[in-house]
Amino acid sequence: SQTIHQWPATLVQPVGSPLSLECTVEGTSNPNLYWYRQAAGRGLQLLFYSVGIGQISSEVPQNLSASRPQDRQFILSSKKLLLSDSGFYLCAWISGNTIYFGEGSWLTVV
Amino acid sequence: GNSVTQMEGPVTLSEEAFLTINCTYTATGYPSLFWYVQYPGEGLQLLLKATKADDKGSNKGFEATYRKETTSFHLEKGSVQVSDSAVYFCALTSTTSGTYKYIFGTGTRLKVLA
């Protein structure tokens, strides 16, 4: 069966520090992958999606970037974090027309 | 563009009460509709879905019917439990050049009291 994992689960980073969140999918090949952010008390915002290796689409301008170095690996990065980057980050993939989410990563920028 | 609107929370109910969380949508074509649930500190889990008009999705006692005439997909449960306390998200899919995009509502927090 297919599974999705993301890490780290929780991190506290100072303003101006770099960020790297990693997501991997197992049990499938060439999945469509997504990064969402959920700010405190707010809904889900689509940040990036990828339909294949090296193919990244950005939904909103921001301080973040994404990369897909391997078929089942999706990385969310930042060179310098802002306070406004705090939130709950979710990686997801599509099976059929249904989206499935990872466990999420809590980021607090201090 | 496509959008999802769901009722503001929080919704507070007593155990065994009837639950309705309203969701309406705007979309071109024929989107699929979904409800996701997020328990405290966790990611989102698929609760139920419906892929065409008049379909009823159901799971764990929750139900929602795809109503194209009213563009709605309201979530219902006849008797809620404390363990149902969570945030519920309504969502729809749309495709752009064959790529699925999901649009989520802002979420409705449900608190069930014993």
Side-chain angles (χ1 to χ4, degrees):
Chain A
S1 64
Q2 300 91 346
T3 57
I4 181 169
H5 299 289
Q6 59 178 108
W7 67 92
T10 306
L11 65 165
V12 179
Q13 295 284 100
V15 169
S17 64
L19 170 73
S20 180
L21 299 179
E22 188 165 341
C23 170
T24 59
V25 180
E26 298 175 358
T28 186
S29 60
N30 198 31
N32 285 1
L33 297 173
Y34 302 77
W35 278 110
Y36 283 85
R37 175 170 61 200
Q38 184 180 22
R42 300 176 66 178
L44 289 164
Q45 180 185 33
L46 177 61
L47 302 176
F48 301 95
Y49 69 92
S50 171
V51 299
I53 296 174
Q55 301 180 63
I56 307 295
S57 295
S58 174
E59 288 295 297
V60 294
Q62 59 210 318
N63 185 42
L64 303 168
S65 62
S67 62
R68 188 162 174 181
Q70 300 181 42
D71 181 43
R72 289 172 285 178
Q73 184 184 30
F74 202 25
I75 298 172
L76 183 70
S77 305
S78 174
K79 292 182 179 178
K80 290 185 178 181
L81 284 169
L82 306 172
L83 286 174
S84 58
D85 292 324
S86 294
F88 190 47
Y89 289 82
L90 291 157
C91 182
W93 71 289
I94 294 277
S95 175
N97 72 343
T98 302
I99 193 168
Y100 296 93
F101 290 88
E103 309 93 335
S105 298
W106 286 101
L107 170 65
T108 303
V109 183
V110 297
Chain B
N2 297 342
S3 65
V4 174
T5 302
Q6 58 182 107
M7 62 188 291
E8 297 261 345
V11 174
T12 303
L13 296 173
S14 299
E15 206 165 23
E16 299 184 3
F18 184 85
L19 168 70
T20 299
I21 300 178
N22 291 337
C23 172
T24 57
Y25 68 91
T26 302
T28 56
Y30 303 93
S32 294
L33 301 174
F34 303 78
W35 277 101
Y36 283 81
V37 58
Q38 184 180 33
Y39 297 104
E42 299 183 11
L44 276 70
Q45 302 173 25
L46 176 65
L47 181 59
L48 53 84
K49 67 178 181 180
T51 57
K52 61 183 187 296
D54 299 325
D55 268 2
K56 177 185 285 187
S58 61
N59 185 26
K60 299 180 181 179
F62 291 89
E63 293 183 340
T65 301
Y66 189 146
R67 302 287 188 196
K68 191 165 179 64
E69 64 276 14
T70 55
T71 62
S72 65
F73 193 54
H74 304 322
L75 182 68
E76 297 181 336
K77 187 174 185 181
S79 176
V80 294
Q81 305 300 312
V82 173
S83 57
D84 294 326
S85 297
V87 181
Y88 293 82
F89 291 89
C90 186
L92 65 80
T93 56
S94 63
T95 57
T96 302
S97 302
T99 300
Y100 282 107
K101 288 189 180 182
Y102 272 68
I103 297 170
F104 288 84
T106 52
T108 302
R109 183 175 298 279
L110 169 66
K111 185 173 183 179
V112 181
L113 305 176

